[in-house]
Short mmCIF file of all heavy atoms in Angstrom, two decimals:
data_model
loop_
_atom_site.label_atom_id
_atom_site.label_comp_id
_atom_site.label_asym_id
_atom_site.label_seq_id
_atom_site.Cartn_x
_atom_site.Cartn_y
_atom_site.Cartn_z
N ALA A 1 61.85 72.08 224.15
CA ALA A 1 61.95 72.12 225.65
C ALA A 1 62.50 73.48 226.14
O ALA A 1 62.03 74.07 227.14
CB ALA A 1 62.99 71.04 226.06
N ILE A 2 63.41 74.09 225.32
CA ILE A 2 63.90 75.43 225.73
C ILE A 2 62.83 76.47 225.62
O ILE A 2 62.67 77.29 226.50
CB ILE A 2 65.15 75.80 224.86
CG1 ILE A 2 66.33 74.87 225.08
CG2 ILE A 2 65.54 77.27 225.17
CD1 ILE A 2 67.46 75.14 224.16
N VAL A 3 62.08 76.41 224.57
CA VAL A 3 60.98 77.33 224.32
C VAL A 3 59.94 77.17 225.46
O VAL A 3 59.41 78.13 226.02
CB VAL A 3 60.28 77.16 222.98
CG1 VAL A 3 58.94 77.97 222.91
CG2 VAL A 3 61.21 77.61 221.85
N ARG A 4 59.60 75.89 225.85
CA ARG A 4 58.57 75.62 226.81
C ARG A 4 59.05 76.20 228.17
O ARG A 4 58.14 76.70 228.89
CB ARG A 4 58.36 74.13 226.88
CG ARG A 4 57.25 73.71 227.76
CD ARG A 4 56.89 72.29 227.58
NE ARG A 4 58.01 71.40 227.73
CZ ARG A 4 58.65 70.69 226.75
NH1 ARG A 4 58.15 70.77 225.54
NH2 ARG A 4 59.65 69.90 227.01
N GLU A 5 60.27 76.11 228.48
CA GLU A 5 60.74 76.56 229.79
C GLU A 5 61.25 77.99 229.90
O GLU A 5 61.63 78.54 230.88
CB GLU A 5 61.84 75.64 230.34
CG GLU A 5 61.32 74.18 230.54
CD GLU A 5 62.43 73.30 231.05
OE1 GLU A 5 63.29 73.83 231.80
OE2 GLU A 5 62.43 72.06 230.76
N THR A 6 61.29 78.69 228.72
CA THR A 6 61.68 80.08 228.66
C THR A 6 60.56 81.01 229.11
O THR A 6 59.42 80.90 228.70
CB THR A 6 62.10 80.50 227.23
OG1 THR A 6 63.28 79.76 226.88
CG2 THR A 6 62.42 81.95 227.16
N LYS A 7 60.90 81.93 230.06
CA LYS A 7 59.89 82.85 230.55
C LYS A 7 60.03 84.16 229.87
O LYS A 7 61.09 84.70 229.62
CB LYS A 7 60.03 83.03 232.06
CG LYS A 7 59.77 81.74 232.85
CD LYS A 7 59.96 81.98 234.34
CE LYS A 7 59.60 80.75 235.11
NZ LYS A 7 60.38 79.61 234.77
N GLY A 8 58.88 84.79 229.47
CA GLY A 8 58.93 86.08 228.84
C GLY A 8 57.87 86.21 227.73
O GLY A 8 57.57 85.17 227.08
N GLU A 9 57.28 87.32 227.59
CA GLU A 9 56.25 87.55 226.60
C GLU A 9 56.83 88.23 225.33
O GLU A 9 57.79 89.06 225.40
CB GLU A 9 55.12 88.42 227.13
CG GLU A 9 54.26 87.77 228.23
CD GLU A 9 53.12 88.61 228.62
OE1 GLU A 9 53.34 89.77 229.04
OE2 GLU A 9 52.00 88.18 228.49
N LEU A 10 56.25 87.94 224.15
CA LEU A 10 56.70 88.52 222.90
C LEU A 10 55.75 89.68 222.55
O LEU A 10 54.50 89.55 222.74
CB LEU A 10 56.61 87.49 221.82
CG LEU A 10 57.56 86.29 221.81
CD1 LEU A 10 57.46 85.55 220.48
CD2 LEU A 10 58.96 86.68 222.16
N PRO A 11 56.27 90.75 222.00
CA PRO A 11 55.44 91.85 221.48
C PRO A 11 54.63 91.36 220.29
O PRO A 11 55.10 90.46 219.53
CB PRO A 11 56.40 92.96 221.12
CG PRO A 11 57.76 92.21 220.93
CD PRO A 11 57.72 91.01 221.83
N GLU A 12 53.50 91.96 220.14
CA GLU A 12 52.58 91.54 218.99
C GLU A 12 53.30 91.61 217.63
O GLU A 12 53.12 90.86 216.78
CB GLU A 12 51.31 92.40 219.04
CG GLU A 12 50.33 92.02 220.13
CD GLU A 12 49.78 90.64 219.94
OE1 GLU A 12 49.49 90.28 218.82
OE2 GLU A 12 49.69 89.95 220.91
N ILE A 13 54.19 92.63 217.53
CA ILE A 13 54.77 92.85 216.17
C ILE A 13 55.58 91.69 215.72
O ILE A 13 55.70 91.34 214.58
CB ILE A 13 55.60 94.15 216.22
CG1 ILE A 13 55.99 94.46 214.75
CG2 ILE A 13 56.83 94.05 217.13
CD1 ILE A 13 56.63 95.86 214.60
N ILE A 14 56.25 90.99 216.70
CA ILE A 14 57.05 89.76 216.35
C ILE A 14 56.16 88.71 215.95
O ILE A 14 56.40 87.95 214.96
CB ILE A 14 57.99 89.36 217.51
CG1 ILE A 14 59.09 90.41 217.76
CG2 ILE A 14 58.51 87.97 217.33
CD1 ILE A 14 60.03 90.11 218.83
N ILE A 15 55.05 88.45 216.68
CA ILE A 15 54.10 87.36 216.39
C ILE A 15 53.49 87.70 215.02
O ILE A 15 53.32 86.76 214.18
CB ILE A 15 53.03 87.25 217.51
CG1 ILE A 15 53.71 86.87 218.80
CG2 ILE A 15 51.99 86.16 217.09
CD1 ILE A 15 52.76 86.90 219.99
N GLU A 16 53.03 88.91 214.76
CA GLU A 16 52.36 89.23 213.53
C GLU A 16 53.39 89.06 212.35
O GLU A 16 52.97 88.68 211.26
CB GLU A 16 51.84 90.64 213.57
CG GLU A 16 50.67 90.82 214.49
CD GLU A 16 49.44 90.04 214.05
OE1 GLU A 16 49.17 89.96 212.81
OE2 GLU A 16 48.72 89.45 214.89
N GLY A 17 54.66 89.42 212.67
CA GLY A 17 55.64 89.27 211.57
C GLY A 17 55.84 87.79 211.19
O GLY A 17 55.97 87.53 209.96
N GLU A 18 55.81 87.00 212.15
CA GLU A 18 55.93 85.52 211.89
C GLU A 18 54.71 85.00 211.07
O GLU A 18 54.87 84.18 210.21
CB GLU A 18 56.20 84.68 213.20
CG GLU A 18 57.53 84.93 213.83
CD GLU A 18 58.65 84.40 212.93
OE1 GLU A 18 58.47 83.39 212.19
OE2 GLU A 18 59.75 85.02 213.00
N LEU A 19 53.52 85.46 211.54
CA LEU A 19 52.36 85.06 210.80
C LEU A 19 52.39 85.50 209.41
O LEU A 19 51.92 84.79 208.49
CB LEU A 19 51.13 85.71 211.48
CG LEU A 19 50.64 84.94 212.78
CD1 LEU A 19 49.57 85.70 213.50
CD2 LEU A 19 50.07 83.54 212.37
N ASP A 20 52.96 86.75 209.13
CA ASP A 20 53.02 87.21 207.75
C ASP A 20 53.89 86.26 206.93
O ASP A 20 53.59 85.96 205.76
CB ASP A 20 53.62 88.67 207.73
CG ASP A 20 52.63 89.68 208.29
OD1 ASP A 20 51.47 89.42 208.27
OD2 ASP A 20 53.10 90.79 208.68
N LYS A 21 54.99 85.91 207.50
CA LYS A 21 55.93 84.89 206.81
C LYS A 21 55.19 83.56 206.51
O LYS A 21 55.39 83.03 205.41
CB LYS A 21 57.19 84.62 207.68
CG LYS A 21 58.10 85.86 207.86
CD LYS A 21 59.22 85.51 208.76
CE LYS A 21 60.07 86.68 209.20
NZ LYS A 21 61.09 86.33 210.14
N MET A 22 54.48 83.08 207.52
CA MET A 22 53.81 81.83 207.31
C MET A 22 52.77 81.90 206.29
O MET A 22 52.61 80.97 205.44
CB MET A 22 53.24 81.39 208.65
CG MET A 22 54.28 81.00 209.68
SD MET A 22 53.51 80.78 211.35
CE MET A 22 52.61 79.23 211.14
N ILE A 23 51.96 82.98 206.23
CA ILE A 23 50.93 83.18 205.23
C ILE A 23 51.57 83.29 203.85
O ILE A 23 51.08 82.71 202.89
CB ILE A 23 50.09 84.40 205.47
CG1 ILE A 23 49.25 84.21 206.81
CG2 ILE A 23 49.12 84.72 204.39
CD1 ILE A 23 48.24 83.06 206.72
N ALA A 24 52.68 84.04 203.75
CA ALA A 24 53.37 84.23 202.46
C ALA A 24 53.89 82.91 201.96
O ALA A 24 53.79 82.56 200.78
CB ALA A 24 54.48 85.32 202.59
N GLY A 25 54.48 82.10 202.87
CA GLY A 25 54.92 80.75 202.49
C GLY A 25 53.79 79.86 201.99
O GLY A 25 53.99 79.11 201.02
N PHE A 26 52.69 79.90 202.73
CA PHE A 26 51.55 79.13 202.36
C PHE A 26 51.03 79.48 200.96
O PHE A 26 50.81 78.59 200.11
CB PHE A 26 50.45 79.36 203.38
CG PHE A 26 49.03 78.93 202.95
CD1 PHE A 26 48.70 77.58 202.96
CD2 PHE A 26 48.10 79.90 202.61
CE1 PHE A 26 47.42 77.23 202.54
CE2 PHE A 26 46.85 79.51 202.24
CZ PHE A 26 46.50 78.16 202.16
N LYS A 27 50.93 80.80 200.70
CA LYS A 27 50.43 81.26 199.40
C LYS A 27 51.36 80.83 198.30
O LYS A 27 50.96 80.40 197.24
CB LYS A 27 50.31 82.74 199.36
CG LYS A 27 49.08 83.24 200.23
CD LYS A 27 48.95 84.75 200.09
CE LYS A 27 47.73 85.27 200.86
NZ LYS A 27 47.60 86.72 200.84
N GLY A 28 52.73 80.91 198.61
CA GLY A 28 53.71 80.52 197.57
C GLY A 28 53.61 79.05 197.24
O GLY A 28 53.74 78.65 196.07
N ASP A 29 53.37 78.22 198.31
CA ASP A 29 53.22 76.79 198.03
C ASP A 29 52.02 76.41 197.20
O ASP A 29 52.11 75.60 196.32
CB ASP A 29 53.14 76.00 199.40
CG ASP A 29 54.40 76.08 200.18
OD1 ASP A 29 55.49 76.30 199.63
OD2 ASP A 29 54.37 75.85 201.42
N ILE A 30 50.91 77.16 197.46
CA ILE A 30 49.72 76.92 196.76
C ILE A 30 49.90 77.29 195.24
O ILE A 30 49.51 76.56 194.36
CB ILE A 30 48.54 77.68 197.32
CG1 ILE A 30 48.24 77.20 198.78
CG2 ILE A 30 47.27 77.55 196.44
CD1 ILE A 30 47.82 75.78 198.86
N GLU A 31 50.50 78.43 195.02
CA GLU A 31 50.71 78.92 193.65
C GLU A 31 51.70 78.01 192.94
O GLU A 31 51.45 77.84 191.70
CB GLU A 31 51.20 80.35 193.73
CG GLU A 31 50.12 81.37 194.13
CD GLU A 31 50.68 82.76 194.48
OE1 GLU A 31 51.94 82.92 194.38
OE2 GLU A 31 49.89 83.62 194.72
N ARG A 32 52.65 77.46 193.60
CA ARG A 32 53.60 76.55 192.89
C ARG A 32 52.94 75.26 192.50
O ARG A 32 53.39 74.56 191.56
CB ARG A 32 54.79 76.25 193.79
CG ARG A 32 55.89 77.37 193.76
CD ARG A 32 57.15 76.94 194.51
NE ARG A 32 56.93 76.87 195.97
CZ ARG A 32 57.06 77.90 196.71
NH1 ARG A 32 57.43 79.07 196.23
NH2 ARG A 32 56.85 77.80 198.06
N MET A 33 51.82 74.98 193.13
CA MET A 33 51.10 73.75 192.72
C MET A 33 50.10 74.05 191.58
O MET A 33 49.39 73.19 191.13
CB MET A 33 50.21 73.28 193.93
CG MET A 33 51.04 72.73 195.10
SD MET A 33 50.09 72.57 196.66
CE MET A 33 48.81 71.45 196.11
N GLY A 34 50.18 75.29 191.10
CA GLY A 34 49.34 75.65 190.04
C GLY A 34 47.96 76.02 190.37
O GLY A 34 47.03 76.08 189.49
N LEU A 35 47.74 76.31 191.66
CA LEU A 35 46.36 76.60 192.17
C LEU A 35 46.24 78.15 192.49
O LEU A 35 47.23 78.82 192.68
CB LEU A 35 46.06 75.78 193.40
CG LEU A 35 46.11 74.28 193.20
CD1 LEU A 35 45.90 73.53 194.55
CD2 LEU A 35 45.11 73.77 192.13
N LYS A 36 45.03 78.56 192.60
CA LYS A 36 44.75 79.93 192.99
C LYS A 36 44.46 79.98 194.49
O LYS A 36 43.58 79.12 194.94
CB LYS A 36 43.64 80.57 192.17
CG LYS A 36 43.97 80.77 190.71
CD LYS A 36 42.84 81.47 189.96
CE LYS A 36 43.15 81.73 188.49
NZ LYS A 36 42.09 82.39 187.82
N VAL A 37 45.06 80.84 195.17
CA VAL A 37 44.94 80.90 196.59
C VAL A 37 43.49 81.04 197.04
O VAL A 37 43.01 80.31 197.94
CB VAL A 37 45.83 82.00 197.28
CG1 VAL A 37 45.62 82.12 198.74
CG2 VAL A 37 47.31 81.70 196.99
N ASP A 38 42.81 82.01 196.43
CA ASP A 38 41.41 82.34 196.83
C ASP A 38 40.50 81.10 196.62
O ASP A 38 39.71 80.78 197.51
CB ASP A 38 40.84 83.51 196.05
CG ASP A 38 41.56 84.78 196.40
OD1 ASP A 38 42.19 84.83 197.54
OD2 ASP A 38 41.47 85.75 195.63
N GLU A 39 40.67 80.45 195.48
CA GLU A 39 39.85 79.23 195.22
C GLU A 39 40.24 78.16 196.20
O GLU A 39 39.31 77.35 196.65
CB GLU A 39 40.11 78.81 193.76
CG GLU A 39 39.53 79.76 192.77
CD GLU A 39 39.75 79.26 191.30
OE1 GLU A 39 40.29 78.10 191.12
OE2 GLU A 39 39.38 79.95 190.33
N TYR A 40 41.49 77.95 196.52
CA TYR A 40 41.88 76.92 197.39
C TYR A 40 41.22 77.12 198.77
O TYR A 40 40.75 76.12 199.40
CB TYR A 40 43.44 76.83 197.49
CG TYR A 40 43.99 75.82 198.47
CD1 TYR A 40 44.14 74.50 198.07
CD2 TYR A 40 44.17 76.13 199.85
CE1 TYR A 40 44.63 73.53 198.89
CE2 TYR A 40 44.65 75.15 200.67
CZ TYR A 40 44.91 73.87 200.23
OH TYR A 40 45.36 72.89 201.13
N LEU A 41 41.35 78.36 199.30
CA LEU A 41 40.80 78.68 200.60
C LEU A 41 39.23 78.45 200.59
O LEU A 41 38.71 77.92 201.50
CB LEU A 41 41.07 80.11 200.92
CG LEU A 41 42.55 80.44 201.26
CD1 LEU A 41 42.82 81.88 201.41
CD2 LEU A 41 42.99 79.75 202.57
N LYS A 42 38.62 78.87 199.51
CA LYS A 42 37.17 78.78 199.37
C LYS A 42 36.75 77.26 199.44
O LYS A 42 35.82 76.88 200.08
CB LYS A 42 36.66 79.47 198.12
CG LYS A 42 35.17 79.42 197.98
CD LYS A 42 34.71 80.19 196.70
CE LYS A 42 33.20 80.14 196.56
NZ LYS A 42 32.70 80.84 195.36
N ASN A 43 37.50 76.48 198.69
CA ASN A 43 37.15 75.02 198.64
C ASN A 43 37.34 74.29 199.98
O ASN A 43 36.80 73.24 200.27
CB ASN A 43 38.01 74.33 197.58
CG ASN A 43 37.63 74.72 196.17
OD1 ASN A 43 36.51 75.19 195.91
ND2 ASN A 43 38.57 74.65 195.23
N ASN A 44 38.27 74.89 200.84
CA ASN A 44 38.53 74.29 202.10
C ASN A 44 37.81 75.06 203.22
O ASN A 44 38.13 74.90 204.43
CB ASN A 44 40.08 74.31 202.34
CG ASN A 44 40.74 73.25 201.56
OD1 ASN A 44 40.88 72.08 201.89
ND2 ASN A 44 41.25 73.60 200.33
#
């Protein structure tokens, strides 16, 4: 609710930084499952 009602734009560098963290976390989860990231992405 606070985010929805907050006014103001974010600079691209903050959004890109969050995306980097999300991608890194995603890759880490896939590798901990014993899978290869490239193969997982290709299969999906």
Side-chain angles (χ1 to χ4, degrees):
I2 296 174
V3 170
R4 187 167 55 247
E5 296 183 31
T6 294
K7 296 180 175 62
E9 291 185 303
L10 296 190
E12 284 297 317
I13 190 169
I14 289 181
I15 300 174
E16 290 297 320
E18 289 298 326
L19 280 169
D20 289 342
K21 292 178 189 175
M22 293 169 70
I23 294 296
F26 162 76
K27 289 182 176 179
D29 291 341
I30 296 300
E31 290 170 353
R32 278 189 289 274
M33 292 167 59
L35 303 174
K36 293 184 178 180
V37 175
D38 291 342
E39 291 181 3
Y40 180 87
L41 290 171
K42 185 178 179 180
N43 292 335
N44 287 274

